[in-house]
Amino acid sequence: MSTKYQVRGELKMIFYKKRALVLMFFCVLVSACDDAKVQEATHEVESFHEQYNKGNFNYIYQYMASKEFKDSTSASDYASFMERNKQILGMYKFGRLIKSEKVQVLIGYNNIRLTYHATYSNYELDELFVIRKENGKNKIQQIVYDMMNAVKIKKDE
């Protein structure tokens, strides 16, 4: 009788180990997909910075901004705002991704939030980009510059 319970216990252990392996495989698979989505979103931010340095704010608005972004501001207002930002911040030099998070929501759109520590020719500051898929393409839904904690870069004279 005790061997019957031992066999049953061993079968349960094998069953739980298989379930754990399947769960681990699923987590790795989901994590790899999330990493790919974050990588795609970082490419969108890199493209944004390239267009920023070229002063192509209309291009950013037309081709890189989400519908929701466009609904919240006009092309001319966005271009004016970005021209002023470029005067203050200067040219984008480089940035470092300091945080990424994939946000799943019940109502609305899933998105990826990327926080960068960016260095411009005049300031260092953190930037938050909210990226979401729209018609199969990554679009910028929101950009936030943390000017409260920005650090002015001293110029050598």
Side-chain angles (χ1 to χ4, degrees):
M1 194 102 153
S2 64
T3 58
K4 179 179 174 184
Y5 291 113
Q6 282 179 321
V7 170
R8 189 178 289 168
E10 288 175 15
L11 287 174
K12 278 185 176 180
M13 184 61 76
I14 291 170
F15 174 75
Y16 288 125
K17 284 182 181 179
K18 284 184 179 181
R19 283 179 79 184
L21 281 172
V22 169
L23 183 60
M24 284 177 25
F25 174 75
F26 180 74
C27 288
V28 168
L29 183 64
V30 169
S31 176
C33 291
D34 285 349
D35 288 346
K37 289 177 182 178
V38 168
Q39 189 65 33
E40 288 176 14
T42 60
H43 287 304
E44 192 69 16
V45 174
E46 290 168 6
S47 295
F48 167 84
H49 285 126
E50 287 174 22
Q51 297 303 322
Y52 169 91
N53 277 347
K54 292 177 182 176
N56 291 339
F57 305 123
N58 288 327
Y59 179 90
I60 293 170
Y61 185 87
Q62 183 76 27
Y63 299 105
M64 300 177 73
S66 70
K67 182 183 180 321
E68 186 176 12
F69 187 100
K70 292 174 186 175
D71 289 345
S72 67
T73 189
S74 69
S76 61
D77 286 346
Y78 175 72
S80 296
F81 173 77
M82 291 305 291
E83 285 167 9
R84 182 71 180 132
N85 262 4
K86 193 169 182 184
Q87 288 174 351
I88 294 169
L89 298 175
M91 295 292 284
Y92 175 80
K93 291 183 168 186
F94 58 89
R96 179 175 53 90
L97 180 65
I98 55 177
K99 184 178 180 184
S100 66
E101 57 185 335
K102 190 165 184 269
V103 180
Q104 302 279 355
V105 296
L106 293 174
I107 298 173
Y109 299 100
N110 297 335
N111 59 55
I112 296 174
R113 295 175 186 216
L114 303 172
T115 304
Y116 283 81
H117 183 76
T119 301
Y120 289 81
S121 54
N122 298 329
Y123 283 90
E124 280 187 41
L125 71 154
D126 289 345
E127 303 172 313
L128 169 67
F129 290 85
V130 180
I131 310 291
R132 73 176 185 90
K133 286 280 189 193
E134 188 176 278
N135 298 323
K137 294 182 181 178
N138 281 322
K139 297 289 185 171
I140 298 171
Q141 183 177 344
Q142 185 179 22
I143 305 167
V144 178
Y145 294 100
D146 182 5
M147 293 303 289
M148 294 295 290
N149 296 304
V151 176
K152 177 94 170 120
I153 295 175
K154 295 179 183 176
K155 304 262 183 184
D156 293 334
E157 299 191 35

